[in-house]
Amino acid sequence: MTGPSVTADPGCLPVRGDLAHIKLAGLCFVPHYAVPMPHAILAGAVLRVTGRADAEPIRDLPEGETFNVLDIAGNWAWGQFGEEGQVGYLPLDALKAQD
């Protein structure tokens, strides 16, 4: 990789200091890249800034749409709404693995 890595707006690109979506390999320099694990969003899901129930909400997510999980820690999943949507955290009980 040559030159500086891409500066990402945390609300738009699935990248954080330690991890990024595999589609960003070669654009963002991070220690690890993840292949997304698609999950269906369940009713009442709220995307949050951090993995805490009292964290600032980003938006309500529509039931049945896809959330691409990139990391799981405790009872929270970090990922991206669809392929180009917002990035944030959802509780695991708001998701169902897609077949």
Side-chain angles (χ1 to χ4, degrees):
M1 205 174 196
T2 60
S5 64
V6 173
T7 302
D9 175 349
C12 297
L13 289 177
V15 61
R16 59 185 198 199
D18 65 332
L19 182 68
H21 190 299
I22 190 71
K23 71 182 177 182
L24 299 175
L27 298 174
C28 297
F29 183 69
V30 295
H32 306 283
Y33 298 92
V35 174
M37 299 174 284
H39 284 66
I41 299 167
L42 301 178
V46 178
L47 189 65
R48 298 194 178 271
V49 173
T50 62
R52 294 176 25 172
D54 63 350
E56 178 184 347
I58 297 171
R59 65 171 288 186
D60 294 339
L61 296 179
E63 180 179 4
E65 295 294 322
T66 298
F67 185 76
N68 287 308
V69 174
L70 296 167
D71 188 31
I72 295 173
N75 293 322
W76 290 88
W78 176 75
Q80 183 174 31
F81 173 50
E83 292 299 320
E84 302 295 329
Q86 291 170 298
V87 175
Y89 291 83
L90 282 177
L92 289 176
D93 62 6
L95 298 168
K96 179 182 178 203
Q98 293 180 339
D99 297 326

